[in-house]
């Protein structure tokens, strides 16, 4: 199983004072069970060279899960849908650079989260014009790198009041329109909860359209991108999500998109890995066929008995 840690959980932790990305890689390499790290572009490449990252990964025996785009505040009015053509083009250029770096570092997937492509007021945007811009930009990037995986991470809101692409169905519709096999979807557990989606159902839909590319695992109370430890709030939905990941033979990265602020980020990440493995083992112990039989019964009491078996273990 592949488990990836979030650099900023360490870089921005009050426990560590002004540490570099290379320091973070060294700390993360000591986490029990970790296999990958993920870097943001351009954020994490401001003071270091790609070659230095490559050396650090080899030295500490870690792989790169991928590069995540972090578009800065010049895109405040939108990345691919910005009303200013020049800014739209800069967004495309930065995305291309991110895929190139991901490839240089043998990363598995470049993840696009469009923080600013959305709207806040009625009459603020022309929706279909914006979606056209979205499709054109994604096609341009995806066609340039037919052998690279590029994944779209949707989020319903924050920082915009509405995102253009804010749920699983709109994402799958968008990817259909883009029409490139190398583009998929990254499912962020908190983002799904924010949209009141049931995460396992979103996973099933992504598989149905052959677009599943990445997981961002975490937990929260639904309204906000809380970034809590996995299973801490929605235990059964996390178990169900892991069950379907197994059922559909998900072999991608399990990236913990959590925000340990008061917690030791090493212990927090280890706890996430332990929890994932424990839930995974629980399903193995019950048996995939048995869980499928349980689902086919459509019996809520039998499901509650599954929860009983989780806590009675
Ligand atoms: Mn995420």
């Amino acid at each position: 199983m592949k488990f990836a840690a979030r650099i900023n959980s360490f870089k921005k932790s009050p426990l560590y004072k002004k540490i570099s990305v290379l320091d973070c890689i060294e700390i993360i390499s000591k986490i029990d069970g970790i296999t990958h790290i993920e870097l943001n572009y351009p954020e994490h490449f401001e003071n270091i060279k790609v070659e230095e990252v490559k050396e650090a990964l080899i030295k500490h025996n870690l792989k790169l899960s991928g590069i995540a785009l972090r578009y800065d505040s010049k895109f405040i009015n939108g990345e691919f849908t910005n009303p200013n053509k020049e800014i739209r083009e800069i967004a495309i250029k930065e995305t291309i650079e991110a895929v190139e770096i991901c490839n240089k570092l043998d990363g598995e997937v470049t993840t696009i989260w469009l923080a600013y492509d959305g709207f806040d007021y009625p009459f603020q945007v022309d929706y279909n014009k914006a979606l056209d811009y979205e499709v054109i930009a994604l096609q341009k990037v995806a066609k340039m790198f037919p052998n690279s995986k590029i994944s779209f991470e949707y989020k319903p809101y924050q920082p915009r009041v509405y995102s253009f692409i804010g749920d699983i169905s709109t994402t799958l519709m968008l990817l259909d329109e883009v029409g490139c096999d190398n583009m998929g979807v990254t499912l962020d557990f908190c983002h799904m909860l924010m949209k009141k989606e049931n995460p396992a159902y979103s996973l099933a839909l992504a598989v149905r359209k052959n677009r599943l590319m990445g997981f961002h695992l975490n937990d929260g109370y639904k309204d906000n991108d809380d970034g809590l430890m996995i299973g801490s709030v929605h235990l059964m939905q996390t178990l169900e999500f892991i069950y379907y990941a197994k059922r559909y033979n998900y072999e991608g990265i399990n990236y913990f998109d959590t925000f340990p602020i008061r917690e030791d980020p090493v212990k927090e990440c280890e706890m996430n890995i332990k929890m994932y493995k424990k839930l995974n083992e629980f399903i193995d112990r019950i048996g995939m066929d048995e869980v499928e039989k349980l689902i086919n019964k459509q019996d809520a009491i039998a499901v509650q008995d599954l929860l009983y078996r989780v806590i009675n273990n």
Side-chain angles (χ1 to χ4, degrees):
M1 265 182 274
K2 300 169 184 169
F3 294 110
R6 173 177 169 267
I7 287 283
N8 285 349
S9 297
F10 300 81
K11 201 164 185 300
K12 295 185 176 173
S13 169
L15 278 184
Y16 303 108
K17 304 260 180 306
K18 289 196 176 168
I19 55 168
S20 69
V21 168
L22 299 179
D23 296 331
C24 290
I25 293 173
E26 186 177 351
I27 295 166
I28 290 169
S29 72
K30 299 191 171 103
I31 294 172
D32 205 15
I34 205 77
T35 56
H36 290 69
I37 58 144
E38 180 136 331
L39 292 165
N40 294 347
Y41 183 81
E43 183 188 359
H44 294 144
F45 290 88
E46 271 152 16
N47 303 310
I48 48 164
K49 293 192 187 100
V50 175
E51 290 70 31
E52 290 177 281
V53 175
K54 193 159 202 162
E55 280 169 25
L57 289 172
I58 293 166
K59 185 176 168 194
H60 298 294
N61 198 24
L62 284 169
K63 288 181 181 148
L64 187 81
S65 56
I67 299 288
L69 267 299
R70 277 295 169 278
Y71 304 96
D72 67 18
S73 59
K74 67 177 164 291
F75 301 106
I76 198 156
N77 292 316
E79 292 100 347
F80 298 151
T81 67
N82 197 292
N84 182 331
K85 188 170 187 273
E86 274 173 40
I87 296 182
R88 289 202 300 277
E89 279 170 4
I90 297 170
I92 293 171
K93 183 176 148 279
E94 283 192 10
T95 310
I96 289 167
E97 288 164 2
V99 183
E100 283 169 348
I101 289 183
C102 188
N103 289 345
K104 274 187 200 161
L105 293 171
D106 299 319
E108 290 198 14
V109 56
T110 302
T111 306
I112 298 175
W113 167 53
L114 298 166
Y116 299 112
D117 273 353
F119 56 95
D120 313 307
Y121 288 90
F123 297 103
Q124 195 175 17
V125 293
D126 182 331
Y127 306 106
N128 275 326
K129 191 170 159 189
L131 289 174
D132 285 343
Y133 284 147
E134 216 81 276
V135 170
I136 290 164
L138 291 171
Q139 272 175 343
K140 190 163 182 186
V141 177
K143 284 182 178 170
M144 199 173 251
F145 302 97
N147 300 316
S148 305
K149 284 185 182 172
I150 299 161
S151 195
F152 193 97
E153 180 185 4
Y154 65 89
K155 183 179 181 184
Y157 49 88
Q158 285 179 349
R160 300 305 296 258
V161 178
Y162 285 92
S163 304
F164 285 124
I165 313 298
D167 57 50
I168 184 64
S169 304
T170 316
T171 303
L172 293 174
M173 182 196 76
L174 175 85
L175 296 178
D176 239 28
E177 287 194 27
V178 172
C180 297
D181 291 343
N182 57 327
M183 275 210 82
V185 59
T186 290
L187 301 171
D188 182 303
F189 208 88
C190 265
H191 298 183
M192 293 186 279
L193 294 174
M194 286 164 78
K195 192 63 188 178
K196 314 288 187 282
E197 288 177 2
N198 187 47
Y201 185 24
S202 307
L203 192 163
L205 289 171
V207 168
R208 191 174 181 84
K209 290 290 180 183
N210 200 20
R211 295 287 187 187
L212 183 59
M213 230 174 234
F215 288 167
H216 281 193
L217 301 176
N218 48 32
D219 208 340
Y221 291 93
K222 284 197 169 176
D223 291 332
N224 189 56
D225 196 8
D226 294 322
L228 305 182
M229 283 178 269
I230 72 160
S232 56
V233 186
H234 296 87
L235 180 65
M236 283 302 268
Q237 280 164 301
T238 305
L239 183 69
E240 190 193 23
F241 190 82
I242 293 172
Y243 163 74
Y244 279 98
K246 284 168 80 69
R247 180 156 154 183
Y248 295 128
N249 303 310
Y250 174 73
E251 285 178 348
I253 309 275
N254 296 301
Y255 169 78
F256 299 112
D257 198 356
T258 54
F259 315 140
I261 298 162
R262 284 158 209 88
E263 299 75 29
D264 177 333
V266 170
K267 288 182 184 159
E268 192 260 4
C269 191
E270 283 177 348
M271 195 68 234
N272 283 322
I273 295 171
K274 266 166 67 179
M275 183 63 81
Y276 190 103
K277 287 184 172 171
K278 185 55 84 179
L279 293 174
N280 193 62
E281 278 167 29
F282 175 78
I283 294 162
D284 282 341
R285 209 158 50 244
I286 300 285
M288 293 298 285
D289 292 347
E290 285 304 308
V291 180
E292 197 174 339
K293 275 185 207 160
L294 167 79
I295 294 166
N296 290 335
K297 280 189 202 164
Q298 301 200 19
D299 176 351
I301 294 169
V303 173
Q304 189 71 351
D305 189 60
L306 189 70
L307 170 61
Y308 187 82
R309 287 156 85 180
V310 171
I311 58 174
N312 196 29
N313 226 268

